[in-house]
């Protein structure tokens, strides 16, 4: 082993997930103070020795994307200055990922800038889950372990043994992901043609596939304003679908997303805990499944220099 002990440090984005990972790894979380100075600047101190060790910083860049990104950068800087042997940023939800190309004049490629910032801060490798666009891995010239929540989410629906299942992609961009779930669950695939009118307003133009009389699983990488997936759910129901289930890896749930999801007629909304989800008032409709065991397994494999892709062998049989 090149590096010393495995340690997990976390910022304020998702301490519960960090603790779940530590429980699975059988180690205590390395304490760190992550606070704010009175002027709003972020104040960080890692409270234990890290010299020579293999450090995993667990921090989604959400729900408070800018503060949580800055906390992550400062933690990495502190760890490098404290002579950590290797620093891996474990970013279950990678924010700014939707700005991954210059699709009009005078706009940034935010995902690339975030990648540059992480590397400049001193990150040696990244572990992340269901990047909005898998190509973002190429924004880094360091190893990126890109994990999929599919085994966690698909297992939930496999246990439900939903009959007449049609997996529906709420837009063309999520078609590949939906096809993987359809293969895993033994259902058919339909794709929705979506038009985005504004950041929080989408419109369904057509459903490619016959959803009438079928039970529907709508699957996406994230639910942000909830517009895409709730419009898709309503369109499926209008087209004669039976039960509509919704699943997504990342529950960003900004603005009135919760209300939209409650009102769209879905039977269940299933998310993972890459981002903490406040279930107050919506406990009946929502299910949150933990990605902690998968992340712990990946961290353990990285630490012991074992294959991470081996975690996904069974899954790849059903993915394309
Ligand atoms: C789109 O490309 C993504 O996969 C999601 O469908 C989208 O970002 C979700 O955003 P919202 O919930 O605001 O419609």
């Amino acid at each position: 082993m090149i590096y010393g002990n495995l340690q997990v440090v976390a910022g304020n984005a998702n301490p519960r997930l960090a603790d779940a990972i530590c429980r699975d790894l059988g180690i205590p979380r390395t304490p760190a103070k992550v606070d704010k100075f009175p002027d709003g600047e972020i104040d960080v101190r890692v409270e234990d020795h890290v010299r020579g060790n293999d450090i995993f910083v667990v921090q989604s860049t959400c729900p408070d994307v800018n503060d949580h990104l800055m906390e992550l950068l400062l933690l990495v800087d502190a760890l490098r200055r404290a002579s950590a042997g290797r620093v891996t940023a474990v970013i279950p939800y990678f924010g700014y990922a939707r700005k991954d190309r210059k699709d009009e004049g005078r706009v940034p490629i935010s995902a690339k800038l975030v990648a540059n910032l992480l590397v400049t801060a001193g990150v040696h490798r990244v572990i992340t889950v269901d990047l909005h666009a898998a190509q973002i891995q190429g924004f880094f010239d360091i190893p990126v372990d890109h994990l999929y929540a599919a085994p966690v989410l698909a297992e939930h629906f496999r246990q439900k043994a939903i009959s007449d299942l049609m997996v529906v992609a709420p837009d063309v961009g999520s078609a590949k992901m939906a096809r993987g779930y359809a293969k895993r669950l033994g259902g058919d695939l339909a794709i929705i043609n979506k038009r985005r009118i504004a950041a929080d307003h989408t419109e369904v133009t057509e459903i490619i596939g016959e959803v009438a009389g079928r039970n529907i699983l709508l699957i996406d990488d994230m639910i942000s304003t909830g517009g895409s997936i709730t419009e898709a759910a309503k369109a499926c129901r209008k087209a004669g679908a039976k039960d509509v289930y919704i699943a997504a890896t990342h529950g960003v749930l900004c603005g009135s997303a919760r209300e939209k999801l409650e009102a769209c007629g879905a039977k269940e909304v299933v998310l993972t805990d890459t981002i903490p989800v406040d279930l107050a008032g919506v406990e009946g409709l929502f299910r949150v499944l933990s990605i902690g065991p998968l992340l712990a397994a990946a961290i353990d494999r990285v630490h012991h220099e074992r294959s991470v892709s081996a975690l996904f062998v069974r899954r790849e049989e059903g993915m394309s």
Side-chain angles (χ1 to χ4, degrees), residues 29-98:
R29 175 145 64 100
T30 296
K33 183 184 83 160
V34 186
D35 252 331
K36 271 194 180 170
F37 288 113
D39 61 1
E41 290 181 1
I42 290 164
D43 179 23
V44 157
R45 183 171 194 271
V46 178
E47 309 272 21
D48 203 352
H49 300 284
V50 296
R51 184 175 299 272
N53 285 347
D54 197 12
I55 316 294
F56 294 80
V57 188
V58 178
Q59 177 86 330
S60 280
T61 48
C62 193
D64 195 346
V65 60
N66 297 324
D67 274 5
H68 290 149
L69 174 61
M70 197 63 196
E71 286 181 6
L72 174 58
L73 296 170
L74 292 174
L75 279 168
V76 172
D77 186 69
L79 289 162
R80 291 300 306 270
R81 290 175 193 282
S83 304
R86 175 170 68 176
V87 179
T88 300
V90 182
I91 313 174
Y93 172 73
F94 189 98
Y96 283 114
R98 284 184 289 177

Side-chain angles (χ1 to χ4, degrees), residues 288-307:
V288 178
L289 309 177
S290 185
I291 202 82
L294 184 70
L295 284 168
I299 289 170
D300 187 65
R301 281 172 175 268
V302 168
H303 177 63
H304 289 102
E305 304 288 356
R306 290 169 58 215
S307 163

Side-chain angles (χ1 to χ4, degrees), residues 6-303:
L6 190 168
Q7 286 174 269
V8 171
V9 176
N12 290 319
N14 201 341
R16 205 180 303 170
L17 176 61
D19 286 336
I21 291 169
C22 287
R23 264 198 308 280
D24 263 55
L25 291 169
I27 57 171
R29 175 145 64 100
T30 296
K33 183 184 83 160
V34 186
D35 252 331
K36 271 194 180 170
F37 288 113
D39 61 1
E41 290 181 1
I42 290 164
D43 179 23
V44 157
R45 183 171 194 271
V46 178
E47 309 272 21
D48 203 352
H49 300 284
V50 296
R51 184 175 299 272
N53 285 347
D54 197 12
I55 316 294
F56 294 80
V57 188
V58 178
Q59 177 86 330
S60 280
T61 48
C62 193
D64 195 346
V65 60
N66 297 324
D67 274 5
H68 290 149
L69 174 61
M70 197 63 196
E71 286 181 6
L72 174 58
L73 296 170
L74 292 174
L75 279 168
V76 172
D77 186 69
L79 289 162
R80 291 300 306 270
R81 290 175 193 282
S83 304
R86 175 170 68 176
V87 179
T88 300
V90 182
I91 313 174
Y93 172 73
F94 189 98
Y96 283 114
R98 284 184 289 177
K99 205 74 187 161
D100 61 346
R101 64 190 175 282
K102 196 172 165 189
D103 51 3
E104 57 181 318
R106 301 178 299 283
V107 297
I109 304 181
S110 313
K112 173 61 179 155
L113 176 62
V114 170
N116 288 349
L117 289 170
L118 286 163
V119 172
T120 302
V123 165
H124 294 106
R125 86 187 281 140
V126 171
I127 297 177
T128 188
V129 184
D130 282 335
L131 280 168
H132 176 65
Q135 301 89 304
I136 290 170
Q137 290 168 82
F139 291 178
F140 293 91
D141 284 327
I142 55 172
V144 176
D145 293 303
H146 185 204
L147 312 184
Y148 311 99
V152 179
L153 290 170
E155 183 54 29
H156 174 80
F157 289 102
R158 188 177 294 123
Q159 280 176 17
K160 284 186 173 293
I162 300 166
S163 60
D164 287 331
L165 182 68
M166 176 77 100
V167 179
V168 180
D171 58 27
V172 175
S174 46
K176 189 174 176 207
M177 184 181 195
R179 191 169 66 229
Y181 278 81
K183 278 190 182 173
R184 287 181 151 266
L185 295 169
D188 297 320
L189 174 69
I191 299 169
I192 285 181
N193 201 357
K194 169 183 99 175
R195 198 160 70 94
R196 188 171 282 283
I197 297 155
D200 61 349
H201 188 192
T202 62
E203 186 183 83
V204 170
T205 53
E206 65 179 314
I207 304 175
I208 304 162
E210 185 53 69
V211 297
R214 308 293 298 270
N215 290 311
I216 304 298
L217 170 58
L218 275 161
I219 179 83
D220 210 344
D221 61 326
M222 70 169 82
I223 303 178
S224 184
T225 66
S228 305
I229 215 143
T230 57
E231 285 306 311
K234 287 190 270 181
C236 287
R237 284 168 55 84
K238 200 169 159 199
K242 290 200 280 192
D243 290 340
V244 176
Y245 297 84
I246 287 177
T249 306
H250 310 294
V252 178
L253 303 186
C254 58
S256 58
R258 277 178 194 73
E259 290 75 17
K260 285 184 199 157
L261 285 160
E262 277 188 292
C264 76
K267 203 172 164 70
E268 189 178 47
V269 178
V270 185
L271 302 167
T272 78
D273 58 355
T274 56
I275 298 168
V277 180
D278 177 10
L279 290 181
V282 288
E283 298 90 341
L285 178 64
F286 282 66
R287 278 293 302 274
V288 178
L289 309 177
S290 185
I291 202 82
L294 184 70
L295 284 168
I299 289 170
D300 187 65
R301 281 172 175 268
V302 168
H303 177 63

